[in-house]
Amino acid sequence: MKNLTITENVSTAAKRDIFELQAKIGSFTQGDGPEEAFRKYRLTRGVYGQRQPGVQMIRIKLPFGHLTADQLVRIADSSDKYATGNLHATTRQDIQLHFVKLADSPQLWADLEDANITLREACGNTVRNVTASATAGVDPDEPFDVTSYAQAFFAYFLRNPISQEMGRKFKIAVSSSEKDSAFAFMHDVGLIPKLGQNEQGETIKGFKVLIGGGLGAQPFSAQVAYEFLPADQVIPFTEALIRVFDRYGERTRRHKARMKFLLNDLGLEAMLEKVKEEWTALKNKTFPVEELSFAWQNLAESEPASREDILVLADTQLEHSEKEIFQKWLTTNVFEQKQKGWHGVYLRVLLGDMHSDTARKLADLVRQYAADDIRVTVNQGYLLRFVKAEDLPALFHELNTLGLAEPGFDSTADITTCPGTDTCNLAISSSYGITRVLEVMMKEEYPDLIYNNDIKIKISGCMNGCGQHSAANIGFHGSSIKNGKLVLPALQVLLGGGFTGDGIGLIGDKVIKLPSKRGPEAMRVLLDDYQTNSFEGEYFNQYYARQTKNYFYQLLKPIADLSTVQDDEYRDWDHDELFKTEVGVGECAGVMIDLVGTTLVEANEKLGLAHEMLEVGVWADGIYHAYNTFITGAKALLIGEGIATNTQYGMVKEFDENFGQVFYPNAAEGDKPFAEIVFSINKNEPTEAFAREFVAKAEQFLNQVKGYRENQLSDNPLPALQELVFGQDS
């Protein structure tokens, strides 16, 4: 392995992560570890296998999409050095680099950490990147700036033991106002800021709390847990909720493992009751958030300027060919901030892709014209903040030179999309290809759509929804259609998602499936029908609700007729070869491993982490690592006996029933001693005394498990179900 270069700017925790990743890669490449265990490990370090064998996608975690100019340059340099020179902005305000060699990922991470950028928990069954409204702090409609809260959520759950190996990923979003521009309604936890009053009648900050939202094959809108929860309680509430999800959430059936399904099974009242049961064990019953300090907060108010004033400036500074575009750009991509005289400038980025050279030049423009506070937006663009009115024409000229001044940000013409079959294992059909075609078609045939902010179009390469198609007024997800012996690339059309005219977030309805090459025709029909038949001032979702799903099914049905299929329709956008479905091939196929032994290794690692937390006096984290030691040790023996369990709660129950008399022979009939020990975690305050006692019991238990396993192997070198085959990741 290569020697790593890690600077003193890198934190001790990050250094440990990076060295550990390099060691794990070394062991894996030498055949010392099972692929499935390594895959699970590297995903939580932001290293994700691509569709193309032998290369990785690296996901860079940017809390609330925040970047400085220097950080943008560092990412661009890293893309040049280790990837393809492309920066792909995602719907979760991350940036992804593609085609990275596995061996290069530790040094890439070290280079990014030098600029205070992390990969930790950007993928995997963890708390993913915490998203927030890009306008947080400058939004004229916000009751207060939520930036500090988004940062606090990110920092609180980073490397937090309660969220390292959940049944599935967990997503948090913080909107800046009731307009919900961060899509709180489709997240595991969504927060919308509000002002309320305490018992003394004083005005306090708080949040409307939504839980249990999610997209994917079975999308759910979030439910309201609290109309108002004081701001200092939102992080403790979320911690307790995650603890419940970790304990009771599904772990075997991956398609049922998101928190939305647990909420659906338990019901809101029972879920919140279990959250209360965790409160005693929380290390923070309240968590006041310290306000972040930004240089732009000290900027003096700028002299305001009217649109007419700005156009006069532009008339003297811009070339004739730029003036018409500037007027459109000023209307669609620029807004007045809540800070008097300052402006926010949106950058519309096709497919979310920006070349590294462009990124470095953009960083220079930020240093010259804006605050050093770039935000990646949830629709794969960028926001520059604190631009003076007199600088708008000059900034536009420079952005236009870079191809970053396309009018119509977040309009109907600005489509959100995932990479699809270009790089993703799970994609079914091309997302990039259809997006390019639709954007060109709308620009040529419907130029005024750059002014329409009602209809949002989002596209995903499969049903999993990275392009957030279920939350769009018009959504498409990649699919396939069989026609005789051949298969066509297809688009599933969804309508009526996103926001209604009154700001309520909805999940779209699946209406019809049609060949991908007919996507532009379907879009024309939808747009023309709405333009012709909607009432004046009627939003698209209101029109959809009035006409009903069946109306649109009948409207699009002729386009889905396969009796008129042409040869070219058997080829996907951007592809010359005949289409074939290549989906669901995970990163681990047919790997034979000793799953019991591997699980015991994991249990031992968790016990080691528990002891480390005791040494530094972080009692709550030590307790949770010890809890995971119990769970993982029990899981190992249950696997060895072929006993299936879906949840951690189920593992504890099954262990008592199958091993209770072996491990606790003096227990009375019907007693559940293992459950009593393990679930004492939420019955006690996280004190030093309880932490030391709990960790000691976990160590004693694991030693017993190891002894039991050794005796088992001495009696039978190949016990039942010792070796299992891991199939594809779905």
Side-chain angles (χ1 to χ4, degrees):
M1 297 291 288
K2 299 176 183 177
N3 291 326
L4 292 176
T5 302
I6 302 182
T7 69
E8 291 304 313
N9 293 333
V10 180
S11 70
T12 301
K15 286 178 184 177
R16 173 175 174 164
D17 281 344
I18 294 164
F19 282 121
E20 188 178 68
L21 175 61
Q22 186 183 48
K24 295 277 188 181
I25 290 172
S27 296
F28 172 71
T29 54
Q30 292 170 16
D32 293 342
E35 185 171 352
E36 169 64 13
F38 177 63
R39 183 186 71 89
K40 183 172 69 172
Y41 172 84
R42 64 175 166 74
L43 283 173
T44 59
R45 275 74 182 169
V47 183
Y48 192 100
Q50 284 187 200
R51 194 179 191 90
Q52 298 79 7
V55 290
Q56 316 294 317
M57 176 270 284
I58 300 296
R59 182 174 292 151
I60 299 168
K61 192 174 186 180
L62 303 173
F64 56 94
H66 174 256
L67 276 170
T68 65
D70 287 348
Q71 287 175 326
L72 182 61
V73 170
R74 180 59 58 88
I75 294 172
D77 291 346
S78 297
S79 185
D80 282 343
K81 187 174 182 179
Y82 303 107
T84 62
N86 184 59
L87 284 66
H88 176 71
T90 78
T91 56
R92 295 206 57 74
Q93 298 176 289
D94 297 309
I95 288 178
Q96 294 177 172
L97 308 182
H98 291 89
F99 297 93
V100 176
K101 295 178 182 177
L102 181 61
D104 286 339
S105 56
Q107 187 60 61
L108 188 160
W109 190 359
D111 291 354
L112 293 175
E113 284 283 358
D114 178 65
N116 197 29
I117 305 168
T118 192
L119 309 183
R120 181 69 191 243
E121 295 147 48
C123 306
N125 298 334
T126 61
V127 174
R128 297 288 187 88
N129 192 34
V130 178
T131 59
S133 300
T135 54
V138 300
D139 184 352
D141 296 319
E142 67 185 18
F144 56 88
D145 182 5
V146 301
T147 301
S148 299
Y149 294 91
Q151 172 65 27
F153 267 94
F154 158 75
Y156 193 89
F157 292 108
L158 187 69
R159 299 184 179 89
N160 193 313
I162 72 167
S163 54
Q164 295 305 298
E165 294 184 33
M166 297 180 291
R168 285 289 265 124
K169 57 194 172 185
F170 194 95
K171 297 180 177 180
I172 300 170
V174 191
S175 281
S176 60
S177 74
E178 288 280 0
K179 291 182 178 179
D180 196 12
S181 56
F183 304 116
F185 77 94
M186 64 182 198
H187 282 75
D188 295 288
V189 170
L191 302 172
I192 296 174
K194 300 176 74 172
L195 294 176
Q197 289 187 326
N198 60 16
E199 294 179 355
Q200 291 73 41
E202 300 167 326
T203 299
I204 61 171
K205 296 176 182 178
F207 291 89
K208 179 179 181 178
V209 181
L210 307 172
I211 65 172
L215 299 181
Q218 293 179 266
F220 285 62
S221 289
Q223 299 182 43
V224 179
Y226 294 96
E227 283 291 345
F228 182 84
L229 186 66
D232 63 359
Q233 293 182 31
V234 290
I235 285 179
F237 168 80
T238 304
E239 178 183 355
L241 184 67
I242 291 173
R243 291 166 73 103
V244 172
F245 174 54
D246 194 32
R247 188 162 304 135
Y248 296 97
E250 174 69 40
R251 288 178 175 270
T252 301
R253 299 171 298 166
R254 184 176 173 83
H255 65 287
K256 291 287 186 181
R258 291 295 299 274
M259 196 190 77
K260 59 188 179 184
F261 296 109
L262 179 61
L263 176 60
N264 192 53
D265 290 343
L266 293 177
L268 180 61
E269 185 177 348
M271 175 72 91
L272 294 180
E273 190 59 38
K274 289 191 179 298
V275 167
K276 289 181 182 177
E277 291 173 3
E278 297 296 323
W279 215 260
T280 300
L282 299 183
K283 59 182 173 183
N284 297 292
K285 308 301 189 288
T286 63
F287 193 85
V289 170
E290 185 177 345
E291 295 290 334
L292 293 175
S293 177
F294 291 101
W296 50 259
Q297 291 172 324
N298 298 319
L299 291 174
E301 289 187 349
S302 180
E303 188 66 30
S306 67
R307 176 182 173 85
E308 290 71 25
D309 293 335
I310 296 170
L311 291 176
V312 169
L313 284 171
D315 194 52
T316 62
Q317 296 180 28
L318 299 179
E319 298 177 7
H320 180 74
S321 60
E322 292 181 307
K323 292 177 182 178
E324 183 179 353
I325 303 173
F326 176 78
Q327 291 188 41
K328 295 177 181 178
W329 176 83
L330 186 64
T331 300
T332 62
N333 294 38
V334 179
F335 69 94
E336 292 186 61
Q337 299 179 180
K338 72 177 185 181
Q339 291 85 4
K340 188 176 180 180
W342 296 97
H343 294 77
V345 175
Y346 287 117
L347 310 184
R348 180 180 167 189
V349 181
L350 178 63
L351 309 175
D353 288 343
M354 183 184 295
H355 193 272
S356 56
D357 290 341
T358 303
R360 279 185 284 268
K361 292 173 183 176
L362 174 61
D364 288 338
L365 295 182
V366 169
R367 296 183 182 107
Q368 184 174 357
Y369 294 111
D372 193 12
D373 186 359
I374 309 162
R375 303 286 173 100
V376 181
T377 66
V378 293
N379 68 328
Q380 302 174 291
Y382 293 80
L383 172 63
L384 310 186
R385 300 143 65 94
F386 287 91
V387 178
K388 293 180 180 179
E390 60 264 32
D391 288 336
L392 287 171
L395 176 60
F396 164 80
H397 173 76
E398 298 294 344
L399 290 173
N400 196 36
T401 302
L402 296 177
L404 295 176
E406 185 72 20
F409 177 86
D410 203 28
S411 67
T412 306
D414 187 9
I415 300 175
T416 300
T417 183
C418 72
T421 51
D422 278 36
T423 55
C424 181
N425 271 325
L426 299 178
I428 301 172
S429 61
S430 173
S431 303
Y432 273 11
I434 183 62
T435 299
R436 289 190 187 98
V437 170
L438 288 177
E439 289 212 358
V440 170
M441 181 269 287
M442 288 189 289
K443 185 174 184 178
E444 294 177 350
E445 301 178 27
Y446 302 88
D448 288 344
L449 285 180
I450 62 170
Y451 302 112
N452 187 313
N453 293 309
D454 166 33
I455 304 174
K456 310 292 186 187
I457 302 170
K458 299 177 186 289
I459 301 175
S460 301
C462 70
M463 66 183 68
N464 289 308
C466 292
Q468 300 179 341
H469 61 271
S470 296
N473 307 104
I474 300 176
F476 299 103
H477 81 66
S479 189
S480 62
I481 299 176
K482 192 169 184 180
N483 190 31
K485 294 183 178 181
L486 296 176
V487 181
L488 293 85
L491 295 172
Q492 174 67 58
V493 181
L494 296 92
L495 300 174
F499 295 106
T500 63
D502 53 4
I504 302 300
L506 299 174
I507 299 298
D509 295 328
K510 291 184 177 180
V511 175
I512 198 168
K513 189 188 294 185
L514 45 82
S516 292
K517 288 294 178 72
R518 301 182 186 182
E521 183 182 356
M523 185 63 70
R524 290 187 187 97
V525 168
L526 290 170
L527 294 174
D528 291 346
D529 175 78
Y530 173 62
Q531 185 175 10
T532 302
N533 299 317
S534 62
F535 298 149
E536 184 175 351
E538 187 175 31
Y539 289 97
F540 180 85
N541 276 8
Q542 294 170 334
Y543 177 64
Y544 172 75
R546 176 167 65 84
Q547 294 286 40
T548 75
K549 174 181 173 178
N550 185 60
Y551 171 86
F552 286 92
Y553 173 79
Q554 298 298 333
L555 183 69
L556 297 174
K557 186 176 179 181
I559 303 175
D561 181 8
L562 299 183
S563 65
T564 59
V565 169
Q566 304 296 308
D567 289 347
D568 183 56
E569 294 183 80
Y570 291 102
R571 295 170 173 81
D572 206 352
W573 294 106
D574 289 347
H575 291 265
D576 296 325
E577 73 280 4
L578 287 176
F579 176 79
K580 58 181 179 179
T581 54
E582 297 178 338
V583 61
V585 180
E587 301 176 54
C588 176
V591 181
M592 295 289 287
I593 67 172
D594 175 4
L595 189 54
V596 177
T598 300
T599 306
L600 286 176
V601 170
E602 291 180 8
N604 208 58
E605 290 175 349
K606 291 173 172 57
L607 180 62
L609 292 171
H611 280 294
E612 286 184 22
M613 292 300 100
L614 294 187
E615 289 178 9
V616 295
V618 185
W619 315 124
D621 288 2
I623 291 166
Y624 213 88
H625 283 306
Y627 166 77
N628 280 325
T629 303
F630 279 118
I631 294 295
T632 310
K635 178 182 176 182
L637 294 192
L638 291 171
I639 289 171
E641 296 299 322
I643 300 170
T645 56
N646 292 349
T647 67
Q648 289 184 347
Y649 184 82
M651 290 178 202
V652 174
K653 180 180 178 182
E654 291 290 347
F655 189 88
D656 261 327
E657 291 182 2
N658 290 275
F659 294 97
Q661 287 301 311
V662 176
F663 279 70
Y664 307 99
N666 298 321
E669 183 73 22
D671 279 0
K672 305 291 183 184
F674 185 61
E676 289 180 12
I677 294 171
V678 175
F679 293 145
S680 67
I681 185 175
N682 66 0
K683 306 292 192 300
N684 292 270
E685 293 281 347
T687 61
E688 177 181 359
F690 177 67
R692 294 193 182 280
E693 177 188 353
F694 198 64
V695 172
K697 288 181 179 179
E699 184 169 17
Q700 181 183 17
F701 170 74
L702 185 57
N703 287 334
Q704 287 179 277
V705 169
K706 290 176 182 177
Y708 183 92
R709 177 63 175 167
E710 289 171 3
N711 291 334
Q712 194 179 46
L713 288 175
S714 65
D715 293 338
N716 179 5
L718 290 174
L721 296 180
Q722 178 189 347
E723 292 188 324
L724 298 181
V725 178
F726 277 89
Q728 63 189 31
D729 176 32
S730 59

